[in-house]
Amino acid sequence: MNNFIITTDTTSDLPAAYVEQHQIGTLSLTYTINDTTYSWEHPLPVKEFYDCMRQGSLPTTSQANPEEAAAVFEKIINEQNADILHIAFSSGLSGSYNSARLAAEELSEKYPDRKIIVIDSLCASLGEGLLVHKAVTLKEQGHTLEETADWLESNKLHLVHNFTVNDLFHLYRGGRVSKTAAFLGTMISLKPLLHVDDEGHLIPLSKVRGRKKSLIALVDAMEKQIGSWRDKNDIIFISHGDCIEDAQYVADLIKDRFGYESFLINHVGPTIGAHTGPGVVALFYMGDYR
């Protein structure tokens, strides 16, 4: 029987309509801004979140704990009598994967007839979302839980994440660049290109001068990394920190250069946006290497 439910963290940044359409379970990572804590169930509108950051507010985030993960999984087991495939936020960026793994181990003893597989996506934002989308597609094609999990494990390191930010301050606050680099880079309008590596960590790749060049650099990197997947990508994912025009500009560049027509564009959610700030643009696709 193909009776399993796909779950993921809210860091996958998938649109709510997509989550509802495909009946994806969500494990909420909370965030706090201006002394108020929000979640997937009780969110702050994304535009308001980024406006608060532009006005100087500094949000904080929290990972999901094992008890919260167990509650999500157990509800699915009890209400839907289904197995679970959980696609977790990168272990290189959060402890939420480990929380989900511990919850799955505990519930496997309590419900020995139910199977819970937890995948460390080694992905973030719509990179994690694209991996979820691949799982949804496989499930809807009739693949089993095990077949879907095996494909994800075999291919997750082909899921490329490249992104750029408009303001180095938030990367400095998160320890990704030094204070000096942030100050000097801002002075001369340096825009870093970063990616998520094979260990799921956020790593700087290069720097270019000027916003437009940084957006073009995302597509230039795609040219190098896409390799044998060029004709296999059926959809490209792009996320952004309240800068839809820049995300659309990247999509248009990709259409012109590669001929792709299908895109999913959505906001970078608050959990990740807290560390990248307004103006981040991130590009996700399948390629030969990260």
Side-chain angles (χ1 to χ4, degrees):
M1 287 182 63
N2 193 30
N3 183 27
F4 68 95
I5 300 297
I6 296 169
T7 62
T8 191
D9 304 311
T10 50
T11 49
S12 64
D13 291 344
L14 288 163
Y18 183 100
V19 170
E20 292 165 11
Q21 178 186 351
H22 297 286
Q23 299 179 314
I24 298 167
T26 53
L27 179 56
S28 183
L29 279 69
T30 60
Y31 54 99
T32 301
I33 190 166
N34 295 336
D35 299 321
T36 301
T37 299
Y38 300 92
S39 66
W40 173 264
E41 296 78 12
H42 305 285
L44 177 67
V46 174
K47 185 161 184 59
E48 288 185 34
F49 173 81
Y50 282 114
D51 283 343
C52 287
M53 290 192 76
R54 290 184 180 102
Q55 293 159 16
S57 297
L58 300 177
T60 58
T61 61
S62 299
Q63 68 186 45
N65 61 46
E67 292 75 20
E68 291 166 334
V72 170
F73 297 160
E74 192 161 24
K75 184 177 181 183
I76 291 171
I77 291 171
N78 289 330
E79 293 184 359
Q80 303 186 57
N81 192 31
D83 295 331
I84 296 168
L85 175 60
H86 182 71
I87 301 167
F89 186 28
S90 172
S91 63
L93 297 170
S94 169
S96 292
Y97 159 71
N98 196 47
S99 293
R101 182 185 61 80
L102 292 172
E105 289 179 1
E106 176 190 332
L107 293 176
S108 293
E109 295 179 8
K110 188 174 180 179
Y111 301 96
D113 294 334
R114 291 269 65 96
K115 184 172 288 187
I116 305 173
I117 297 179
V118 179
I119 302 287
D120 179 4
S121 71
L122 300 174
C123 296
S125 188
L126 276 181
E128 185 181 356
L130 182 51
L131 202 65
V132 172
H133 175 69
K134 295 297 183 183
V136 166
T137 301
L138 289 166
K139 180 186 175 185
E140 292 178 351
Q141 289 171 348
H143 291 275
T144 66
L145 168 65
E146 291 81 3
E147 288 169 345
T148 303
D150 288 346
W151 190 94
L152 298 182
E153 287 288 6
S154 298
N155 289 280
K156 64 187 183 183
L157 294 184
H158 289 293
L159 211 158
V160 183
H161 307 55
N162 287 326
F163 70 100
T164 187
V165 298
N166 203 32
D167 184 342
L168 289 163
F169 169 73
H170 299 287
L171 290 178
Y172 157 65
R173 192 166 68 92
R176 302 299 172 186
V177 299
S178 69
K179 185 175 182 179
T180 300
F183 176 76
L184 292 176
T186 301
M187 289 289 290
I188 61 174
S189 194
L190 275 183
K191 308 297 180 184
L193 191 69
L194 303 98
H195 81 134
V196 174
D197 69 7
D198 286 354
E199 285 74 47
H201 298 120
L202 201 62
I203 303 294
L205 281 177
S206 60
K207 300 183 184 73
V208 297
R209 185 172 291 182
R211 176 66 164 180
K212 188 173 182 180
K213 287 183 179 178
S214 72
L215 300 176
I216 295 170
L218 292 176
V219 185
D220 290 341
M222 185 176 185
E223 185 86 56
K224 297 174 184 176
Q225 291 168 275
I226 198 166
S228 62
W229 289 84
R230 186 171 186 134
D231 296 326
K232 301 175 190 175
N233 280 287
D234 57 351
I235 189 167
I236 307 299
F237 280 23
I238 302 173
S239 58
H240 64 93
D242 196 29
C243 52
I244 183 63
E245 296 86 359
D246 289 341
Q248 190 60 57
Y249 175 72
V250 171
D252 290 342
L253 289 176
I254 292 168
K255 285 180 186 178
D256 291 343
R257 194 178 302 191
F258 298 95
Y260 295 130
E261 294 291 340
S262 184
F263 294 84
L264 188 152
I265 300 175
N266 198 36
H267 286 99
V268 173
T271 302
I272 294 173
H275 305 283
T276 54
V280 59
V281 176
L283 174 60
F284 310 96
Y285 53 91
M286 304 299 291
D288 279 351
Y289 65 94
R290 286 191 171 188

